[in-house]
Amino acid sequence: MSLKDSRKIVITFSRADENYPAVQLEVGNTERLGDIIIGYTHADKHHIEPVNPYPKGYKACCDQALEEKENNARPEVANPLDNLDNYDTIFFGYPIWWGEIPMPAYTFIEKLNFAGKTVIPFCTHEGSGNGGTFKKLQNILTGAKFLKGIEIQGNRVDNSKEIVEKWLTAIGF
Ligand SMILES: Cc1cc2nc3c(=O)[nH]c(=O)nc-3n(C[C@H](O)[C@H](O)[C@H](O)COP(=O)(O)O)c2cc1C
């Protein structure tokens, strides 16, 4: 079955509110990037919500995220998926937090079986790129086939439609 005809979902973790560089986001950068992907592929959407929302202030959020990273925490997710049975192709998107995948995103993926799925990672960041997280995901999501991901600077997401569409075409959409 072609990628285009496969059953697709875009799963994102993303945070709205105050972000670097001094912007207030109504919808987080990664979620908006995911929406561009959905616009092109007509994939379903699932947005990961933590049980305890992150602080609205950028600095407070950074402090909490660092503590969670250092403790290798697994913050609870309010809307986990029971399984991925309805999907063949999973776009998985997140922001880079302290060079890492945010801890609630780990909570979410570790409960699921990705074997036999095609996974396409994407992330937003403010300079560090994916920070090796695409590779890390490949090691965690055993049995999945990975396609080339994309990393976009957060404050460029709204100007990235063309580049995203080129990437999607290149990987087979
Ligand atoms: C807690 C926190 C930690 C961050 N750490 C990094 C980082 O290590 N490297 C980087 O390039 N950007 C970092 N950023 C910037 C975000 O990756 C970037 O703004 C991203 O687009 C936010 O996506 P979102 O709106 O989907 O949450 C950090 C932002 C936050 C809130």
Side-chain angles (χ1 to χ4, degrees):
M1 187 202 316
S2 76
L3 268 182
K4 278 185 200 167
D5 296 332
S6 70
R7 302 167 302 163
K8 307 167 282 288
I9 185 168
V10 171
I11 298 174
T12 47
F13 177 80
S14 177
R15 174 181 158 273
D17 306 315
E18 188 193 9
N19 200 356
Y20 179 87
V23 287
Q24 288 289 337
L25 302 175
E26 282 191 20
V27 177
N29 293 332
T30 313
E31 186 174 357
R32 297 202 318 285
L33 178 54
D35 289 343
I36 294 173
I37 296 170
I38 290 168
Y40 194 79
T41 62
H42 307 291
D44 288 353
K45 173 171 178 170
H46 189 80
H47 184 61
I48 303 169
E49 299 284 356
V51 167
N52 298 310
Y54 281 87
K56 289 188 184 299
Y58 176 68
K59 166 115 188 21
C61 178
C62 283
D63 291 348
Q64 183 176 323
L66 182 58
E67 196 183 322
E68 288 177 358
K69 179 189 156 173
E70 285 178 342
N71 294 327
N72 200 20
R74 291 294 181 271
E76 256 186 284
V77 165
N79 58 345
L81 286 180
D82 291 336
N83 58 61
L84 294 169
D85 292 356
N86 290 332
Y87 298 102
D88 312 298
T89 304
I90 292 115
F91 288 91
F92 182 61
Y94 50 87
I96 298 299
W97 280 7
W98 296 104
E100 250 288 11
I101 299 167
M103 295 301 121
Y106 278 115
T107 312
F108 185 87
I109 56 174
E110 284 172 357
K111 297 207 166 116
L112 292 169
N113 179 4
F114 284 79
K117 308 294 178 188
T118 297
V119 175
I120 307 164
F122 64 99
C123 72
T124 68
H125 61 91
E126 272 312 328
S128 63
N130 80 79
T133 59
F134 291 176
K135 189 115 219 174
K136 202 164 184 180
L137 275 176
Q138 289 197 45
N139 292 330
I140 297 171
L141 306 181
T142 45
K145 173 184 175 191
F146 271 71
L147 297 185
K148 184 176 163 12
I150 198 168
E151 50 194 16
I152 301 278
Q153 198 170 323
N155 60 28
R156 294 195 179 152
V157 164
D158 294 336
N159 297 320
S160 70
K161 195 163 174 272
E162 211 174 302
I163 207 170
V164 170
E165 291 185 355
K166 262 193 195 148
W167 159 68
L168 287 167
T169 311
I171 62 175
F173 285 93

